[in-house]
Amino acid sequence: MVQEEGAPMQVDSDEGIELYNALVVEVLSSQELMVPGTKLMRAEKQLLIYHYAAKVHEFREQILSLWRGESEVPQEGLAEPFLSCVRKLKTSWQDQGKWTATVKAKKVFGHSGIIKFCQTMPSFPTSSNGSFVFLQQRPTAGAPSGLWSFTEGCGSDPVADLETKGLALVLRMDSYLKDAVVLVSPCLQNGVMAHSEDLSKMIMREPEVWRRLLKTEHELFSPASASLIKQVLRSGAATVTPKKPRPEVDDETPEKEKMEKPKKAKNEEKAKNEEK
């Protein structure tokens, strides 16, 4: 269920892309996720960036309604920082003479650069619902080369860096759309800073389902992600507290009698020997 509205999004439009990019940058800047004075995103906040970008797509109808001037009243579900960012960008574009009320939703949110949530994935654990984000374009690091450009703190491949640090799993979607990936991480759902323990905990909530997925859907996982899941499953099994052995039936004989029994047996044996 990677896709929500039919065919892959490939409707590239300069007008739509410019507005989408501006909206994303405005939101990310408000959360200090962009490097000031550059077009680069903070590598150490990569999953938070995907979370906010996916939220922009999630609120697309409310955002465009406010952008077009159909309603100045805050749209239901359009919370901060998105509400303030849309209003700020709209005012800026109006001052520059760039604003238009006729922008089409498909041009803004129908191109290949968008990032969006996948609420569920077939056969995946229910505990992972809401932890999937779909990327059609692979992010880059270093010099800006498109919207999704990160600082060099995440190496040459930002997506692979998430696997290396144990922060996210990578699902390969080449059979659906070349070079597209789905990222899996609890951070994508709740929008908090990611820690490797968060992903491990998610896997260990339903370990048997993940074991089955490695067998039945192994081609879906990148090699690094498959290894990461196996490592978590092994370490999780090793840290399970072993069951204590069942205690033996308690001997209810009083301690005093236990001590007297050997002495009594010894005296009886001595008496028998004297009789002889």
Side-chain angles (χ1 to χ4, degrees), residues 52-244:
Y52 280 104
K55 280 290 186 181
V56 169
H57 179 268
E58 185 178 275
F59 293 141
R60 59 195 180 279
E61 292 183 2
Q62 298 96 318
I63 287 173
L64 287 182
S65 177
L66 189 61
W67 181 265
R68 293 167 179 155
E70 296 171 355
S71 174
E72 290 301 323
V73 179
Q75 299 295 298
E76 183 180 356
L78 189 59
E80 296 295 352
F82 307 96
L83 181 62
S84 296
C85 289
V86 173
R87 285 175 169 167
K88 181 179 178 181
L89 184 63
K90 179 179 178 180
T91 300
S92 175
W93 278 36
Q94 286 174 329
D95 292 343
Q96 299 174 51
K98 294 170 60 176
W99 175 83
T100 173
T102 59
V103 63
K104 303 294 183 182
K106 196 170 185 180
K107 290 184 177 181
V108 181
F109 296 103
H111 55 85
S112 60
I114 64 101
I115 287 178
K116 66 177 181 176
F117 285 116
C118 304
Q119 294 304 319
T120 60
M121 289 286 286
S123 305
F124 273 69
T126 55
S127 60
S128 65
N129 289 355
S131 301
F132 304 92
V133 159
F134 179 52
L135 284 69
Q136 293 192 57
Q137 293 182 355
R138 194 96 174 185
T140 61
S145 58
L147 176 60
W148 308 112
S149 298
F150 290 85
T151 55
E152 294 180 346
C154 56
S156 60
D157 187 345
V159 168
D161 185 63
L162 293 173
E163 293 179 299
T164 302
K165 294 177 179 176
L167 299 176
L169 302 175
V170 178
L171 309 182
R172 299 179 296 189
M173 308 306 297
D174 289 317
S175 61
Y176 168 71
L177 189 65
K178 184 174 175 55
D179 295 330
V181 296
V182 168
L183 299 181
V184 188
S185 172
C187 174
L188 296 170
Q189 180 180 30
N190 52 39
V192 298
M193 276 299 292
H195 302 282
S196 58
E197 295 83 1
D198 299 330
L199 183 61
S200 299
K201 288 177 182 177
M202 185 186 75
I203 294 172
M204 290 310 299
R205 286 193 191 102
E206 298 178 76
E208 293 305 319
V209 179
W210 289 99
R211 288 191 180 95
R212 174 174 51 78
L213 283 172
L214 286 177
K215 295 179 180 179
T216 61
E217 305 288 347
H218 60 89
E219 74 286 347
L220 190 60
F221 296 97
S222 70
S225 288
S227 297
L228 177 57
I229 296 171
K230 292 175 183 177
Q231 180 182 346
V232 170
L233 292 173
R234 283 196 300 267
S235 62
T239 57
V240 174
T241 305
K243 293 183 179 179
K244 295 181 179 179

Side-chain angles (χ1 to χ4, degrees), residues 1-62:
M1 296 177 66
V2 173
Q3 193 173 353
E4 293 178 358
E5 298 104 10
M9 295 186 175
Q10 295 288 359
V11 186
D12 291 344
S13 161
D14 290 342
E15 178 188 9
I17 292 174
E18 184 181 7
L19 177 53
Y20 175 79
N21 290 359
L23 286 168
V24 169
V25 169
E26 190 67 45
V27 170
L28 298 184
S29 297
S30 73
Q31 301 302 300
E32 300 183 345
L33 298 173
M34 300 288 296
V35 178
T38 75
K39 296 182 179 180
L40 294 174
M41 300 175 182
R42 296 187 182 278
E44 71 277 12
K45 304 289 184 67
Q46 193 178 166
L47 289 175
L48 275 179
I49 288 169
Y50 298 147
H51 166 80
Y52 280 104
K55 280 290 186 181
V56 169
H57 179 268
E58 185 178 275
F59 293 141
R60 59 195 180 279
E61 292 183 2
Q62 298 96 318

